[in-house]
């Protein structure tokens, strides 16, 4: 406590050892700054003249009077501090008034009750997608509050979302003043009754109409405050936090648009396969054979036996060829790669197909046709407006795709000065990593069918090129900004060649007896491919990472929610 003395108030300031928080202004407990000393003295002795305060500052080990310039500076700082304190007090007072006013408003709102007018025509429950065909009708629409805005005293707008679209709803009068109205939070669920009308001239709204509400009900209130959805997720949130809250993120405009277009893309693939006469089959996901190498297998115990989550359904699809002809599947595949790149997932949607009695060129033509047809399908779908929002500069690929042999790719890398990590040139037989492959694809700027890889760097089941048996009839479809989206090949059709491939790769053929039998009981030339849906979407929708192209991404360290 600051004490007054007969010769005025004397306060001690030590800029080295003092404290503005705990100091009291004595020699034993000095302040750190003169501003704090004056401020505490004036507040402890109301009505005191600042000029009556004497300040002594410590210089080395001596206490001396503060200089005139130092006192003047401190006095100015004190006056600024007083102004700041007054503003803070005024702010607190206003906040208290506002809080009291809000509490009174809330109490008053509890007294307001709205009732359904049963003299109006009975409302027909509809989905938002059916709004246009129900204009002029009284309807009830249920959904989530996507946005809302209060305008003036008796007007409130709600942008409703029900999964089929968005609808602007207008509430007026007492409907804006009920307790549920004044406490309404985003993502609350509501039922809105009213008449669908075209928006006035010069105004815009989704679908060109709005619901003029005559009655509404709150179904489920969403929380506000710290738990409000805008506080749970935001544009500034870290990726990990957004993945933790993925169940809320998917309600947003961008994430939901991606999921809608994923749906449209899957429809496009199925439509293409159906047009080509392929049957869809559903292979097992729990297997006891590998396809792409043991290092990326997820192991588990299956009733006491060793088993894996499938890397690919290809081998099972091949067994369906004699039964159904050309087949495909759209299912999950699993790769236990400890990779954190933007194009890898531990679980992804694999679109695979196998085709009988074809040549390698037939396979390449099929892939080119498939990619272009699916893109055209999505651009013509009802989800196309979302596509334009996400990737307005998208240019559909042109046919024919560039076809480049692996050997020409090695030459391109060397001609363009793209080196290996050790600084040396790429040579025939090297497995080209993702980064240089991407540099080449991005530089060329168009889809590439990268063909005929060496036997040693490809899977055991790939057929050798009859013109050069050091090569396989294999293909990777490379797309700018993403890289590989398809891997395919002709499959070994000769029994002896397949048995030799098992031996070369050190694979025990016993568990593959059912696969081997395809070369025993009526073999044929056949080929197929696998396409990663998330990479395909990342390319089309201009997403930075494939993690944004699935519902709940799985990658190292992430298995929830």
């Amino acid at each position: 406590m600051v004490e007054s003395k007969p010769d005025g108030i004397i306060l001690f300031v030590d800029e080295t050892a003092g404290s503005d928080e705990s100091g009291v202004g004595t020699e034993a407990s000095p302040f750190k700054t003169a501003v704090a000393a004056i401020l505490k003295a004036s507040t402890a002795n109301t009505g005191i003249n600042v000029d009556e305060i004497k300040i002594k500052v410590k210089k080395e080990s001596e206490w001396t009077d503060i200089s005139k310039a130092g006192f003047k500076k401190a006095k100015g700082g004190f006056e600024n501090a007083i102004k700041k304190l007054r503003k803070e007090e005024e702010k607190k007072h206003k906040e208290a008034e506002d809080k009291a006013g809000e509490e009174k408003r809330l109490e008053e709102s509890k007294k307001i009750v709205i009732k359904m007018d049963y003299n109006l025509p009975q409302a027909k429950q509809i989905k938002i997608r059916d709004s246009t065909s129900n204009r002029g009708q009284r309807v009830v629409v249920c959904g989530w509050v996507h946005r809302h805005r209060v305008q003036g005293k008796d007007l409130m707008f709600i942008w409703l979302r029900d999964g089929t679209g968005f609808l602007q709803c207008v509430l007026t009068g007492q409907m804006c003043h009920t307790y549920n109205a004044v406490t309404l939070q985003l993502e609350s669920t509501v039922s809105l009754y009213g008449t669908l009308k075209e928006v006035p001239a010069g105004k815009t709204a989704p679908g060109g109409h709005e619901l003029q509400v005559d009655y509404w009900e709150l179904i489920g209130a969403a929380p506000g405050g710290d738990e409000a959805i805008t506080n749970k997720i935001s544009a500034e949130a870290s990726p990990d936090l957004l993945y933790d809250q993925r169940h809320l993120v998917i309600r947003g405009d961008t994430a939901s648009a991606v999921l809608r277009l994923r749906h449209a893309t899957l429809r496009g693939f199925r439509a293409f396969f159906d047009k080509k006469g392929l049957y869809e089959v559903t292979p097992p996901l729990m297997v006891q054979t590998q396809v792409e190498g043991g290092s990326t297998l997820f192991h588990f115990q299956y009733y006491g036996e060793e088993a894996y989550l499938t890397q690919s359904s290809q081998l099972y699809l091949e067994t369906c060829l004699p039964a159904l002809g050309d087949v495909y599947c759209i299912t999950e595949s699993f790769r236990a790669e400890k990779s954190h790149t933007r194009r890898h997932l531990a679980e992804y949607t694999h679109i695979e197909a196998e085709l009988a009695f074809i040549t390698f060129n037939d396979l390449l033509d099929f892939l080119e046709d498939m990619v272009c047809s699916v893109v055209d399908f999505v651009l013509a779908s009802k989800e196309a407006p979302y596509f334009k929002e996400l990737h307005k500069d998208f240019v559909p690929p042109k046919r024919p795709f560039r076809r480049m042999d692996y050997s020409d790719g090695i030459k391109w890398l060397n001609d363009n000065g793209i080196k290996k990590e050790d600084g040396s040139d790429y040579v025939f037989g090297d497995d080209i990593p993702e980064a240089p492959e991407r540099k080449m694809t991005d530089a060329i700027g168009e889809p590439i069918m990268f063909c005929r890889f060496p036997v040693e760097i490809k899977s055991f089941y790939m057929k050798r090129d009859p013109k050069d048996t050091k090569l396989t009839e294999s293909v990777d479809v490379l797309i700018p900004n993403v890289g590989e989206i398809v891997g395919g090949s002709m499959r070994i059709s000769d029994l002896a060649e397949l048995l030799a491939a098992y031996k070369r790769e050190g694979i025990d053929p016993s568990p593959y007896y059912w696969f081997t039998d395809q070369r025993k009981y009526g073999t044929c030339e056949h080929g197929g491919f696998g396409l990663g849906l998330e990479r395909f979407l990342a390319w089309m929708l201009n997403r930075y990472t494939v993690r944004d192209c699935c519902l709940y991404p799985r990658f190292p360290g992430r298995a929830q929610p």
Side-chain angles (χ1 to χ4, degrees), residues 269 272-273 278 292 312-315 317-318 327-330 350-355 358 362-371 374 461-462 475-477 484-491 526-532:
F269 276 107
F272 175 78
F273 291 139
L278 278 70
E292 302 296 338
S312 165
S313 298
Q314 173 205 320
L315 306 189
L317 290 179
E318 288 189 48
V327 291
Y328 76 96
C329 70
I330 300 178
H350 211 173
I351 300 175
E352 299 180 88
E354 293 294 319
L355 310 168
I358 63 168
D362 292 335
L363 176 62
L364 299 182
D365 290 342
F366 186 94
L367 290 173
E368 181 180 290
D369 191 17
M370 177 185 71
V371 170
V374 172
Y461 53 78
M462 293 190 178
V475 58
D476 288 349
V477 180
E484 179 193 343
I485 61 168
V486 179
S489 76
M490 295 298 290
R491 315 310 193 188
H526 63 288
F529 62 89
L531 176 145

Side-chain angles (χ1 to χ4, degrees), residues 397-444:
K398 295 179 181 178
R399 309 189 204 199
F401 290 180
R402 178 186 292 230
R403 299 185 182 185
M404 176 187 285
D405 283 350
Y406 164 87
S407 56
D408 294 326
I410 293 290
K411 183 176 184 303
W412 191 97
L413 293 174
N414 292 331
D415 288 348
N416 287 273
I418 297 175
K419 307 285 187 181
K420 290 195 279 190
E421 286 188 357
D422 63 4
S424 62
D425 286 340
Y426 284 94
V427 297
F428 188 89
D430 286 336
D431 192 358
I432 303 172
E434 173 195 347
E437 186 180 77
R438 282 276 306 279
K439 285 180 181 178
M440 178 181 73
T441 310
D442 292 351
I444 291 173

Side-chain angles (χ1 to χ4, degrees), residues 120-121 123 131 134-141 167-170 192-198 209-215:
L120 294 171
S131 297
N134 283 280
R135 282 185 184 175
Q137 304 297 313
R138 187 166 184 263
V139 299
V140 55
V141 189
L167 179 63
Q168 178 173 290
C169 308
V170 185
L192 300 171
Y193 295 74
T195 304
L196 281 163
K197 299 277 184 76
E198 283 191 63
H209 43 241
E210 63 187 15
L211 184 69
Q212 296 182 357
V213 178
D214 56 57
Y215 178 74

